[in-house]
Structures are given as C-alpha cells and as structure tokens.
Amino acid sequence: MKISTFTNKLMAPLVATAFAMVSTTAVSQEGANTLDLQQITIDNVTVDGAEFNSVTITSQSPLTIEYGGVSTMRECERGIGDASTVHFGRNGVLTEREFEMANVAWSYFERYFQEETGLVNAVGNYPSTTLWDTASYISAMVAAYELCVIDKREFDTRVTRLTNTLRNLDLFRGEAPNKVYNTQTGAKVNYANEEGEVGMSALDIGRMLVWLRILKERHPHLANSVDNIPMRWNFCNLVSDDGRMYGSFVQGDGEIRYVQEGRLGYEEYAAKGFALWGFDVPRALSPEPLNYTTIYGIDVPYDGRDPRIFKNQNYVLTEGYILDGLELGWDLPTDRSGDGMTASHGWRAEFANRIYLVQQRRYEQTGIITARSEHQVDGRPYFVYDSIFADGYAWNTLDPTGEYQPDRAAVAAKAAIGLWALWDTDYTDLLFETVADLYDPELGFFEGLYENGNGYIPLQTANNNGIILAALLYKVQGPILQQTSDNTQYWDTAYAGTDLRDNKCHPRQMEEVVNCCNCAGVEIPPVIPLEEFTYCRPVPTGGETAATDCGTEEHNFPLPEPRAVLPQSCSLPQ
C-alpha cells in the first residue's frame, strides 16, 4: 500500500522503526497512533542531513508507523485566485472524514451516469432528469474536481459530453428546455418518462444558468461550449417586460399556459441565474409582496401572494436560501468583490439566518432535530415539501397535491450539511452527525432521516449528493461563484446589433443603457463616430448625429491614372 501526501503540511512527525534515520521537518510525537504499512512515501524529508523532495520506504514485512500531532486535514492545491478567503460559516480544508464524504457523494454520479448522453439520473436507477438535477450534477463535477476527488481529464471528458447534449436538446416548442428528459436518449419526456413534453420551468432554468456561469468562470477553456447552450434558447416567454419569470405547462386540451413562477426563497435564487447572464429581472429579485409569521420568537418571512388566487403554494423551505449562500454568498449578481464576509444582497442573508435559527429553536424547544427541505420519499407520494411554514401552519409536510404527510417529515441530508457549512455552531455539529454516515459507499448519501424514527429514506438522488459536494467545497473555498474572468464572452458578442438577439429576447450585452434620471451631463457616443465623417461636417445633437457642409471634395484616394505600356506595333518615322 502506498500513501502519498498532498503537501508537507499534512505530514506529522513520522518515525519508521525499521528506518530510524528518516525524519521529517515536523516536531511532535505526542499522542502517537499506529498504522501497519508495507510502503510509505514521505514528502520533504531529511535523510542523514540531506534534503529530499520525497523518500519511499518499503519493507517485506509490515512497517510500524507512529505519528503524533497529526493534522486530520486534507489539502488540495486547486482553486482559483483568492477563492479561499475568509467566509461565513466553516472555513478550512477537509478532514479525512469529510474527504471520504466527498468521495461517497461522487459515487452517485459514477453509478448513475449515462454514457450515451453524459446525463445522470435524478433519482437512482430511474432514467429521467430535470434541468435542476442536471445543474446539481454540474455542481458535483465542479466540487469533485476542486476537492481532488477526480482529475482534470475525467472532469473535461464528463463536462464536454454533457455540454454537447445540452447544446442539442430538443426544446419545448422550440423555445427552451422541457421540464423532463430521458437520461438514456436525451429525448424530452413527460413525467411518466414517455416521449412528449410538459412545459418549461423558469426555476430549473435559473438554477442551470447559475451553474453554467460558475462553470465558465472557473474554467474559461469551456466558455465557448457553455455559451452555445443558452444561445439556442428563446427567452421571450421566460422573462416578462416588467422583470418577472414565467414557466409554462401543457393543459389537458393541448394548449400552452404561461404562468408566473417562483415564490419567496426560490424565486430570487433562480432570478440571479437569469441576471448573471444579463437579463433584467428586478421584480423576481424583489421580496415583495412579503408577510411574516412568528415561530418560536422568530419572524419567519413567507411569500405574501394568496395561493387561493395565484394557485401556487407558499412553502417556506431551507434549500433556496442555502443554495444562495453556498453558491453565491448571498451576493447580488453584479457583485464581483469576492468578499466572503459581506453579503451584498443583504436581506437574503438576513432571511437565511432566520430560516436557520427557527430550526435550531424548534430543536431546543421540542428535542426534534430539524433540517427541513423538499425531498424524495420511498413509495407514495414519492415527494414531499417538508416545510417550515406552509398553508397557514408551521412544520407542515405536504405532498404535491396539498395532502398532509406528517410521517414523511425528515432531517434532509442536503439541508443538514448545507446548514453545517454556512453556520459554525454546536447545533449544526449535531446536524452533521445526524446525516454524515447515512450512505451506501457505492451509491451515495441517502435522502435523509425520518423524524418519527422510521429510519433513513432509502433513496439516493443527484440533487442531494450534488448539494452535499457543493457544501464541502464551500467550506474549503467559500462562495462557489467567483467572478474573476475578464475574458470576452461569446454570449455577449454573438450577433451583436442584429435582430437575431431581439428575436430570442437575448440581452444586448454590448450596449449600456443610461438611466434617464442621470442623463444630465452624460454623453452617449454615436453609433457612427464623429471622426468617420469625411464628406460632411458632423453636428452632435441629442439623438442621431446631424450633418452639414456635405461635399465630395475631400477624400483619401488618389484619382486613377493611366498606366504606361509599349505599343503593339512601331510605325516608321516620318
């Protein structure tokens, strides 16, 4: 067996009893532990006064390795720029246990990967997925690479296979991705995984846009492939003129209905995905209309739109807030500061802290360990919204039909690990211990642990394992989106100034609109620069440039002159 350390920081004082002349630069041996090995490689060592980058010790019989004062941290020399600056919650490299968790979570994506399409099943063996779950797969790939679970070759191979499939998806009515796709064929399907289409989800597309932006920011060599994915999409029905997001579904009569999509918590998170690509979505980013309910002394925010009128339930869940924290640091889409201790989208951080604290208070008052989010369940109803507040009641667990399902309430693994990463407290330590070992080492983490004592939920999903990997990466590097690339983007320049962008309602990234409130003293350069006026004198105005004194006298080209040639025949002189 061979052990290779990542850096000398990982090396404890090591003493090989059969090779006493080998010593490391570390000093302490207190509290020594023992490993029986037949080979070990030690980095940065001194042998008889000579320094070596590494020394490998082998023996025909097991070596007794004593080590003390050992850091249980793993270091991985990957990352971008200053991504590992101080940030909210837990900071530091992964422990051996946490690194093993990362490997376990990644095993899901190895087991349920579909070679033909590059997609991964959303739930276990069932060959179906959504854009939301596929975004979780991208988060898993990014985190697995950054945490040294996979190498660059595997990362690039997987990503390029996936982007090829995403670039060529059969779109819903030619507009944007369908809600569901078959992972084996890449065909759009209905919820029974039968060929067909069911509509578009603005929330799913928003999450995908977040991770496509993360992908190309961290890996600029993939930017062209990434940009070509949304270039095919038509956003005209997804983003309204007043800055809201709209999804669609197919009615029983086959007609398409477009409906405003998203509620407090999820809506703003998904809207950030659109905003990161230049879409103007101020209404979707706003928390209004807003109400509060008081639970254990905490004013818990919830969406103020009446579900009886707007036909959309106002679930208060953990996931939208922790995704915003882990991936975006609760920052505005325009924030490029990289400050992990300042949330520029302040009210999002404020509300996230309330969402965390009310769950801790519930544990303190009732003894029920609480980390709530929507999740899969075994058997009917297959899926529940395990809410903090919904339909007028706290701790209300509902299935998609609105039926009360109290026995399906659970400590969601993704919520528990997400809260643990974002808040460094005794309570999140307890959450961590509750779910950290609930896994099959070859299949990934289970969905969670039922609150009523019925054991763990015997299902593994892409979303659960992808979020767990993202949470582990957050601990090491902080908010995962690091807007550090200043490269020209194909998304910004493609078809600039043509109707092709307008026809798909793509933002005009190469134009800058000045707020009319600030127009005084602001000069907008004309489309045709003044210096390009050669035959007319330009006259700047408040709109188009006027022209006067036009003529054809001034030009830069000489008049053509005849070229001298020899005559075809020569006449006799006179």
Side-chain angles (χ1 to χ4, degrees):
M1 184 168 101
K2 181 177 180 180
I3 295 179
S4 295
T5 58
F6 284 81
T7 70
N8 64 332
K9 296 178 184 177
L10 298 180
M11 294 306 298
L14 291 169
V15 178
T17 57
F19 294 82
M21 65 180 182
V22 178
S23 64
T24 70
T25 55
V27 292
S28 173
Q29 291 191 27
E30 296 179 1
N33 297 280
T34 299
L35 291 175
D36 289 331
L37 307 171
Q38 290 184 307
Q39 179 172 304
I40 185 169
T41 297
I42 307 173
D43 295 335
N44 299 328
V45 299
T46 301
V47 180
D48 288 343
E51 296 183 355
F52 294 86
N53 290 333
S54 66
V55 169
T56 299
I57 306 169
T58 59
S59 175
Q60 293 181 350
S61 59
L63 289 166
T64 299
I65 307 298
E66 295 180 353
Y67 60 97
V70 177
S71 168
T72 59
M73 303 294 183
R74 297 186 67 91
E75 290 202 38
C76 176
E77 296 178 353
R78 292 180 186 165
I80 56 171
D82 57 356
S84 58
T85 54
V86 177
H87 50 269
F88 295 120
R90 296 179 191 269
N91 291 244
V93 296
L94 298 186
T95 65
E96 292 289 340
R97 184 184 185 191
E98 292 159 7
F99 182 70
E100 178 61 23
M101 290 172 63
N103 278 279
V104 167
W106 178 248
S107 69
Y108 178 89
F109 301 96
E110 291 182 319
R111 182 61 174 266
Y112 298 112
F113 174 73
Q114 299 288 353
E115 185 69 34
E116 291 299 314
T117 62
L119 297 169
V120 171
N121 299 350
V123 183
N125 285 312
Y126 193 63
S128 175
T129 193
T130 67
L131 239 58
W132 184 283
D133 298 296
T134 303
S136 290
Y137 173 40
I138 297 175
S139 79
M141 286 190 287
V142 169
Y145 172 72
E146 295 289 342
L147 297 173
C148 294
V149 174
I150 61 175
D151 61 21
K152 187 174 184 296
R153 182 173 180 274
E154 180 172 1
F155 174 80
D156 280 351
T157 299
R158 282 176 172 264
V159 170
T160 53
R161 186 71 192 90
L162 177 64
T163 55
N164 175 53
T165 293
L166 294 177
R167 165 64 177 78
N168 294 289
L169 286 177
D170 189 7
L171 304 177
F172 172 79
R173 305 295 166 97
E175 294 186 51
N178 190 50
K179 289 182 179 180
V180 195
Y181 285 89
N182 183 297
T183 56
Q184 294 173 329
T185 65
K188 56 186 177 183
V189 293
N190 58 26
Y191 293 117
N193 213 24
E194 300 166 341
E195 190 169 342
E197 52 184 19
V198 291
M200 303 180 297
S201 170
L203 295 183
D204 289 11
I205 291 171
R207 175 157 167 72
M208 175 58 73
L209 290 173
V210 168
W211 275 101
L212 289 178
R213 182 59 183 262
I214 290 172
L215 189 58
K216 73 172 185 173
E217 285 282 346
R218 284 181 170 266
H219 301 280
H221 68 288
L222 298 171
N224 284 358
S225 297
V226 170
D227 283 349
N228 272 283
I229 296 170
M231 281 299 299
R232 289 185 63 226
W233 303 349
N234 187 320
F235 290 84
C236 295
N237 288 319
L238 286 167
V239 179
S240 65
D241 291 339
D242 64 351
R244 300 180 191 271
M245 300 182 306
Y246 280 75
S248 67
F249 64 89
V250 180
Q251 300 181 131
D253 58 3
E255 293 296 315
I256 305 172
R257 183 179 176 187
Y258 293 92
V259 292
Q260 184 276 324
E261 193 168 281
R263 289 296 180 266
L264 185 69
Y266 281 97
E267 183 176 3
E268 300 79 17
Y269 164 71
K272 289 183 180 184
F274 285 88
L276 285 168
W277 291 78
F279 292 95
D280 192 18
V281 284
R283 296 294 294 273
L285 282 168
S286 171
E288 298 174 320
L290 177 65
N291 283 335
Y292 298 92
T293 183
T294 302
I295 306 173
Y296 297 124
I298 307 296
D299 289 333
V300 176
Y302 70 93
D303 197 290
R305 284 167 282 198
D306 190 335
R308 296 172 299 179
I309 298 174
F310 292 95
K311 310 300 181 185
N312 202 331
Q313 187 55 262
N314 303 341
Y315 307 105
V316 178
L317 301 158
T318 304
E319 187 165 330
Y321 292 101
I322 63 172
L323 293 180
D324 198 342
L326 297 173
E327 298 167 10
L328 308 172
W330 300 306
D331 280 336
L332 290 167
T334 53
D335 187 351
R336 296 175 60 92
S337 68
D339 183 353
M341 293 301 293
T342 301
S344 56
H345 206 184
W347 69 263
R348 290 288 288 176
E350 167 68 22
F351 285 3
N353 276 271
R354 296 187 194 186
I355 295 300
Y356 159 69
L357 186 56
V358 74
Q359 296 182 85
Q360 177 181 313
R361 291 274 178 89
R362 183 183 186 227
Y363 168 71
E364 293 169 347
Q365 295 296 316
T366 67
I368 302 173
I369 299 173
T370 305
R372 290 206 156 197
S373 195
E374 77 284 10
H375 56 78
Q376 301 285 331
V377 295
D378 52 322
R380 294 185 181 279
Y382 305 112
F383 184 87
V384 295
Y385 297 97
D386 205 4
S387 72
I388 295 167
F389 180 80
D391 205 18
Y393 294 93
W395 319 113
N396 197 2
T397 303
L398 304 173
D399 65 25
T401 70
E403 189 73 20
Y404 184 41
Q405 301 281 353
D407 285 340
R408 298 300 194 162
V411 180
K414 60 188 175 184
I417 300 300
L419 293 171
W420 167 83
L422 290 164
W423 285 272
D424 188 354
T425 67
D426 291 342
Y427 180 62
T428 58
D429 285 339
L430 176 63
L431 291 178
F432 181 88
E433 292 299 330
T434 303
V435 302
D437 300 302
L438 291 180
Y439 60 76
D440 182 315
E442 296 182 355
L443 301 177
F445 280 87
F446 296 114
E447 279 288 272
L449 185 70
Y450 284 119
E451 285 184 359
N452 63 6
N454 278 347
Y456 61 82
I457 304 171
L459 296 172
Q460 290 92 359
T461 66
N463 194 40
N464 185 47
N465 285 281
I467 292 174
I468 288 173
L469 274 162
L472 293 170
L473 178 59
Y474 175 89
K475 183 200 173 191
V476 177
Q477 295 186 358
I480 299 172
L481 174 63
Q482 297 289 328
Q483 299 193 67
T484 59
S485 175
D486 292 321
N487 298 337
T488 301
Q489 304 293 316
Y490 178 67
W491 168 257
D492 298 338
T493 63
Y495 311 113
T498 72
D499 291 340
L500 291 175
R501 295 189 78 96
D502 290 337
N503 291 342
K504 294 183 178 181
C505 298
H506 288 189
R508 289 181 170 269
Q509 296 290 79
M510 302 307 292
E511 299 177 355
E512 183 179 358
V513 179
V514 175
N515 190 328
C516 287
C517 297
N518 301 320
C519 285
V522 176
E523 293 186 4
I524 305 298
V527 176
I528 305 300
L530 301 184
E531 54 269 23
E532 288 193 23
F533 282 73
T534 301
Y535 303 104
C536 296
R537 180 165 63 86
V539 180
T541 68
E544 282 286 337
T545 301
T548 189
D549 296 339
C550 295
T552 59
E553 295 292 328
E554 296 182 6
H555 51 73
N556 298 323
F557 299 100
L559 293 174
E561 294 181 358
R563 182 169 61 94
V565 295
L566 293 173
Q568 293 181 352
S569 62
C570 184
S571 59
L572 291 173
Q574 297 294 327

